[in-house]
Amino acid sequence: MSGFFESRLEAIANAPRYGDDLAHASTKAMFEDAANAWTKAAADPGFTGKTGDAASASFARSASAIKEHIDQIALLPSVISDANAALDEAWNILDALPDTGPAEKALATAFSDAANGGSITTVAQVATAYSGVQAARAAREAAALTGYTRLIGQLGHVESTLQKILAALGFSGTDFGGGAGGTKKLSLDEILVKYQIKDDPRDGGKLRLWDPYGMPHVWAKWVFERFGLSFNTRLTAEEKDLLEHMAIWELKDAYNLQKTAQGVAEEHFPVGTGRPGNYDQNDAFRHTYWSAIMTKKFGAEWAEQFTSAHEGYRSNPGPPEAMDLYNNEFGRKIATEHPFASDEELAVLIEEAVRNGDVITIDADRNLQWSDYEGPHPGPDDFDEVGGTDSLPGRDRSDFGVDDRAHHPIPKSGTGTGYYYYWR
């Protein structure tokens, strides 16, 4: 699994390329010809009277605008060329990142020996190998950060130049969509319907305890506890598929993020009555913040796949499913929009979002509410989590924006094998 900055490099490298036909054209001469055509049309618009005067004035303004801004327009080829060069450099940086494979292989070997009844010396070798993996991963991520920072500077220059061209031509940033100002906020009814995913058809659509690699759950639980982990939780079949591609040290990383999210949620929104995560602001903050720090560490693509996997069980009530999926998405958005924010800064941004009503909670009548809602929330048993009477039809995962990749894991950097992380 790629680290955060490595995943951002991959996103840059996979960004769409722009055709360079314009770059190879005589751009300035092309627009000069256009200006001359408008000037000629202004002199003889083909109409008479007031209509002709209006047409003539319009054609003249167009010709004047082109001539006035032709130098800015002529910059477009270089903008396209610079952007494509940055995408090429992203691939070069990825190819040159330090390889973590040998350290991970050493840890896998040491852990296998320990799991097969190795001595105390073998257990010590696991700890040493784990430190080696952490160091290798840190070196790779540091190199990715250096390359990513350099690319962001280059792309920032490209964006700045493009914005100047657009501003000179009279366009604003919101004219092109994709920003907050150009995004229509969905209604709560729309969110309830849209943020549902299809149930996992396996295991009868139920959550079941994980028996990793055919090992009885009680044995696996004992092994996990030796590493300070507690995964005595029921999972969907897809989650179990993802876990089968996971190494113990990565499980530790994911578990630590889960515990961090719980603790930070309690700091920002202390729980009064009821259990934590009871469809309230604590729950909204916890999911949003956890999704954000997972995105920061592992990348938005993987975070989206994983956080959606657990919601695909048959009896999952519709409103809580929509709440979790929406809040997880918002957390990914916060992290990607603030790539250099610390965990503490992300927590501040997300607390502000919760208090401003930007994410979802649920009221005592079991309806979705924006997170600035101050009324009562459902109790822990107010939804049918067994019979499935409160569940809603799910959307195809591709419609929701999530690909089904249970059997096609994302390659771990430098190894070619896939690893996934788990949290609930």
Side-chain angles (χ1 to χ4, degrees):
M1 173 55 59
S2 300
F4 177 70
F5 291 107
E6 183 175 345
S7 70
R8 302 307 295 158
L9 283 173
E10 291 171 351
I12 292 172
N14 284 302
R17 304 296 174 111
Y18 295 93
D20 52 8
D21 292 343
L22 181 61
H24 294 162
S26 179
T27 310
K28 192 168 183 178
M30 180 174 64
F31 280 96
E32 283 176 345
D33 289 342
N36 291 334
W38 284 117
T39 300
K40 183 177 180 180
D44 183 12
F47 302 100
T48 59
K50 290 184 178 179
T51 301
D53 292 342
S56 180
S58 176
F59 295 156
R61 284 195 298 271
S62 296
S64 176
I66 292 175
K67 290 178 179 178
E68 181 180 356
H69 303 300
I70 197 165
D71 288 335
Q72 288 91 347
I73 294 171
L75 292 173
L76 282 170
S78 65
V79 171
I80 294 171
S81 178
D82 289 346
N84 287 340
L87 304 187
D88 290 335
E89 186 174 356
W91 281 116
N92 292 334
I93 293 170
L94 284 168
D95 290 340
L97 291 179
D99 186 5
T100 61
E104 288 158 358
K105 183 177 181 180
L107 178 54
T109 300
F111 181 74
S112 177
D113 291 344
N116 290 325
S119 64
I120 294 177
T121 302
T122 306
V123 175
Q125 289 172 343
V126 170
T128 301
Y130 177 72
S131 297
V133 168
Q134 295 293 79
R137 290 171 60 183
R140 187 176 179 92
E141 188 69 355
L145 170 59
T146 300
Y148 175 72
T149 303
R150 184 169 69 251
L151 280 178
I152 288 299
Q154 294 175 5
L155 293 172
H157 171 71
V158 170
E159 181 181 9
S160 175
T161 304
L162 183 58
Q163 290 298 330
K164 289 178 181 177
I165 295 171
L166 297 176
L169 298 178
F171 294 106
S172 66
T174 57
D175 292 329
F176 301 92
T183 302
K184 176 181 177 293
K185 189 174 184 179
L186 297 175
S187 70
L188 292 171
D189 288 340
E190 289 173 321
I191 290 171
L192 180 61
V193 173
K194 177 181 178 181
Y195 287 83
Q196 305 289 325
I197 58 173
K198 285 187 176 179
D199 299 339
D200 192 322
R202 295 165 292 174
D203 288 346
K206 296 181 179 180
L207 300 174
R208 300 186 186 277
L209 291 173
W210 180 37
D211 300 326
Y213 317 108
M215 182 189 306
H217 176 76
V218 291
W219 295 5
K221 183 173 180 290
W222 182 87
V223 172
F224 288 153
E225 288 174 348
R226 304 286 77 75
F227 285 86
L229 305 172
S230 175
F231 284 87
N232 193 30
T233 309
R234 298 182 183 274
L235 314 170
T236 65
E238 182 177 359
E239 283 182 291
K240 288 186 276 187
D241 279 350
L242 302 182
L243 289 172
E244 294 294 334
H245 294 90
M246 186 173 120
I248 190 68
W249 60 91
E250 297 174 315
L251 185 65
K252 179 69 171 176
D253 290 342
Y255 182 78
N256 287 341
L257 289 182
Q258 175 251 329
K259 300 302 291 184
T260 296
Q262 289 181 338
V264 175
E266 180 66 23
E267 293 173 4
H268 288 261
F269 293 96
V271 177
T273 59
R275 64 181 175 88
N278 207 34
Y279 318 120
D280 53 11
Q281 289 184 323
N282 177 286
D283 185 357
F285 179 96
R286 179 169 57 89
H287 268 269
T288 306
Y289 179 69
W290 169 75
S291 182
I293 58 177
M294 291 289 273
T295 298
K296 177 181 175 182
K297 188 170 184 65
F298 305 128
E301 182 180 7
W302 175 82
E304 180 174 11
Q305 180 185 11
F306 184 80
T307 56
S308 299
H310 188 79
E311 305 302 330
Y313 61 97
R314 180 182 59 81
S315 59
N316 193 8
E321 182 172 340
M323 174 183 172
D324 289 349
L325 290 172
Y326 186 91
N327 293 345
N328 289 341
E329 179 180 88
F330 195 92
R332 295 192 301 271
K333 180 174 180 289
I334 288 284
T336 54
E337 289 181 349
H338 301 85
F340 298 107
S342 66
D343 289 356
E344 292 76 14
E345 290 168 334
L346 289 175
V348 171
L349 290 169
I350 291 169
E351 178 181 351
E352 181 180 358
V354 173
R355 298 193 186 281
N356 287 343
D358 293 329
V359 292
I360 302 293
T361 60
I362 300 175
D363 65 24
D365 293 325
R366 305 191 303 178
N367 297 316
L368 298 184
Q369 295 288 348
W370 294 110
S371 54
D372 54 356
Y373 165 76
E374 296 181 355
H377 302 278
D381 301 318
D382 286 357
F383 284 103
D384 177 10
E385 287 271 8
V386 178
T389 58
D390 294 323
S391 56
L392 296 176
R395 296 163 56 88
D396 186 85
R397 289 173 67 82
S398 61
D399 292 341
F400 180 70
V402 182
D403 295 330
D404 182 5
R405 303 181 185 177
H407 302 292
H408 304 280
I410 300 171
K412 180 171 178 61
S413 304
T415 67
T417 58
Y419 296 102
Y420 285 88
Y421 301 73
Y422 165 72
W423 177 74
R424 173 60 176 170

